[in-house]
Amino acid sequence: MGGVNTAGVRAEAEIRARADGRGGTALPVLESRGPLALRRTRGSGATAHVTLVGAMSGPHGGDHFTVRAGVGADARLRVGSAAATLALPGQHGGQARQDVRITVAAGGELHWLPEPLISVTGSELAVHTHVDLEPGARLVLREELVLGRTGEDPGRLTSRLTVRVDGRPVLDQELDCGPGAPGGWDGPAVLGGHRAVGQLVVVDPEFTDKPVAPDVPADGLAVLPLAGPAVLVSAVAPDALTLRRLLDRAPASFTPASPTTPASPATPASPASA
């Protein structure tokens, strides 16, 4: 991986959601600095809605963006973004970084649903999303990665997703693709020539008593129960629109596991695992 360019932009955003005591969710902290802006939008019921808006293009090479979200007990939060994120080459080169740190307390619920991340040719971006959940917390997290704009090759993109429940690792996996990535990332074991890859992680205490069975409900779509009250949905597709359709249909395909269906172990980190 290329060296980090210290001349890049630093941007931070933080969201804290708390139950307001009246059946709704308050946002005592909604702060952003640099080319990231947070906007509270119209919610629904007890759920507060926040949209992340990029005040400028990027991240560019050398930039470092950090987003933190904390959901308190019995609070409900839905976070989206206003548009797709473009990872772009910087004027001075170097690797860009994007860190997302999420915590959800017992009884809290978070829907983390950003628009796709597009790896533009010549760019180099490393993304790490780290989620810590207390027992009884709920999570729906979507990640969509698109390799290049129409008709162009991708940049170097590394994305790692780590999810822990009650301090135990439920999921820890990494996808590394593009120029300079370990061989095989575009082969049949990973992307199989597709240009869009995504995953949906669903954590729900109800899965403890009603585990989900593994399934392949559509071509390019796989449902995998994890060791813990969680399910991982993985998808590959030729484009972002098809990828979104696959991920959107996945929860409706969840079927209860039979008593003899073993739970799947946590997925270890790998330099080329989708």
Side-chain angles (χ1 to χ4, degrees):
M1 302 290 285
V4 174
N5 175 13
T6 57
V9 173
R10 301 296 182 267
E12 296 184 1
E14 182 173 4
I15 310 166
R16 294 183 187 173
R18 298 288 182 268
D20 63 8
R22 303 186 302 274
T25 298
L27 299 174
V29 176
L30 196 64
E31 298 178 350
S32 51
R33 294 179 290 276
L36 294 176
L38 296 171
R39 300 286 184 264
R40 180 163 189 168
T41 51
R42 185 181 299 274
S44 57
T47 303
H49 288 203
V50 173
T51 300
L52 180 63
V53 180
M56 57 182 285
S57 62
H60 295 77
D63 292 352
H64 187 184
F65 292 0
T66 303
V67 181
R68 299 180 179 87
V71 180
D74 301 320
R76 296 182 180 180
L77 176 65
R78 181 185 180 99
V79 179
S81 58
T85 298
L86 292 177
L88 298 166
Q91 182 178 1
H92 305 289
Q95 180 196 77
R97 292 174 55 195
Q98 181 170 301
D99 295 316
V100 178
R101 313 285 293 190
I102 293 169
T103 58
V104 185
E109 181 175 318
L110 173 64
H111 289 238
W112 189 266
L113 304 170
E115 294 303 305
L117 170 61
I118 302 173
S119 176
V120 173
T121 186
S123 66
E124 188 174 356
L125 174 65
V127 180
H128 189 183
T129 301
H130 190 286
V131 183
D132 273 301
L133 306 172
E134 291 184 358
R138 289 178 168 83
L139 172 74
V140 177
L141 182 148
R142 182 181 68 210
E143 179 185 62
E144 297 170 316
L145 308 175
V146 180
L147 306 183
R149 293 171 294 193
T150 302
E152 75 173 7
D153 293 329
R156 177 75 178 274
L157 178 61
T158 304
S159 177
R160 182 172 180 180
L161 174 60
T162 304
V163 179
R164 292 186 172 90
V165 177
D166 195 21
R168 298 184 300 105
V170 170
L171 176 69
D172 190 3
Q173 70 175 13
E174 184 174 280
L175 173 68
D176 193 357
C177 55
W185 64 269
D186 201 24
V190 186
L191 298 185
H194 292 288
R195 296 181 62 86
V197 57
Q199 53 195 351
L200 186 74
V201 180
V202 182
V203 180
D204 192 319
E206 292 186 3
F207 292 157
T208 300
D209 297 325
K210 300 177 181 178
V212 174
D215 193 13
V216 182
D219 186 32
L221 182 67
V223 175
L224 179 69
L226 302 174
V231 174
L232 171 66
V233 178
S234 297
V236 292
D239 54 63
L241 179 59
T242 305
L243 178 69
R244 175 66 61 85
R245 288 172 175 169
L246 285 172
L247 293 176
D248 282 349
R249 67 180 288 185
S253 71
F254 291 175
T255 56
S258 67
T260 59
T261 302
S264 299
T267 306
S270 167
S273 60

